[in-house]
Amino acid sequence: MEEKEKFMKKAIEISKKSVLNGGGPFGAVIVKDGKIVASSNNKVTLNNDPTAHAEVMAIRKACKKLNTFDLSGCELYASCEPCPMCLSAMYWAHIDRYYYANQKEDAKQIGFDDHFIYDELDKKPEKRSMPREQLLHAEALKAFKIWEEKEDKTEY
């Protein structure tokens, strides 16, 4: 069996166990240098946390284990095509490449539909379904100014 398939089988196994243990049907594995660094299942309902998707949870574990916020050199194996939040987290974490098994259309068929988010992002902010209002802009800019002037900051 090819190494990539081995890691994907692990992500799929995690997704199946997740369903049996009260989680969502998603699993993720992060690999660096041919070794699993971290893995997780979907824990949205288990943790009462809408951000506890398998990919995000695996990224959190990998960052903690590797003691870094930069997962360059890592690949992610997901049992399903990542949602917009997970894909964004993967970009922020600098994941080199990802592999997936199920497609977002497969997830949609069982009630996990992310198309509304993509649709919302295509709209002008004032046309989105979630109301928004900007407050205290000048005051908030002060933190940005402090960051900009800080010489010993850790950029990310």
Side-chain angles (χ1 to χ4, degrees), residues 7-70:
F7 296 132
M8 184 56 76
K9 282 184 181 286
K10 179 69 174 169
I12 293 168
E13 176 187 318
I14 291 167
S15 72
K16 292 190 282 189
K17 284 183 181 176
S18 182
V19 174
L20 299 174
N21 293 315
F26 305 97
V29 173
I30 296 179
V31 174
K32 183 169 186 166
D33 299 326
K35 293 186 174 82
I36 294 176
V37 174
S39 62
S40 187
N41 63 301
N42 176 288
K43 297 183 180 189
V44 170
T45 56
L46 297 172
N47 292 2
N48 290 319
D49 179 353
T51 69
H53 290 200
E55 297 91 335
V56 170
M57 298 301 289
I59 287 169
R60 290 173 184 166
K61 285 181 175 182
C63 288
K64 188 171 187 171
K65 183 173 183 179
L66 298 174
N67 195 33
T68 183
F69 52 80
D70 185 344

Side-chain angles (χ1 to χ4, degrees), residues 4 29-34 59 62 66 69-77 86-99:
K4 288 189 250 184
V29 173
I30 296 179
V31 174
K32 183 169 186 166
D33 299 326
I59 287 169
L66 298 174
F69 52 80
D70 185 344
L71 297 180
S72 295
C74 293
E75 296 179 331
L76 190 145
Y77 293 79
C86 292
L87 186 59
S88 295
M90 290 160 56
Y91 276 107
W92 282 116
H94 303 285
I95 297 287
D96 285 359
R97 181 183 187 99
Y98 72 94
Y99 304 89

Side-chain angles (χ1 to χ4, degrees), residues 112-124:
F112 295 94
D113 186 6
D114 299 323
H115 284 88
F116 76 97
I117 296 173
Y118 291 110
D119 293 343
E120 285 288 295
L121 291 173
D122 284 340
K123 296 177 186 175
K124 291 183 179 183

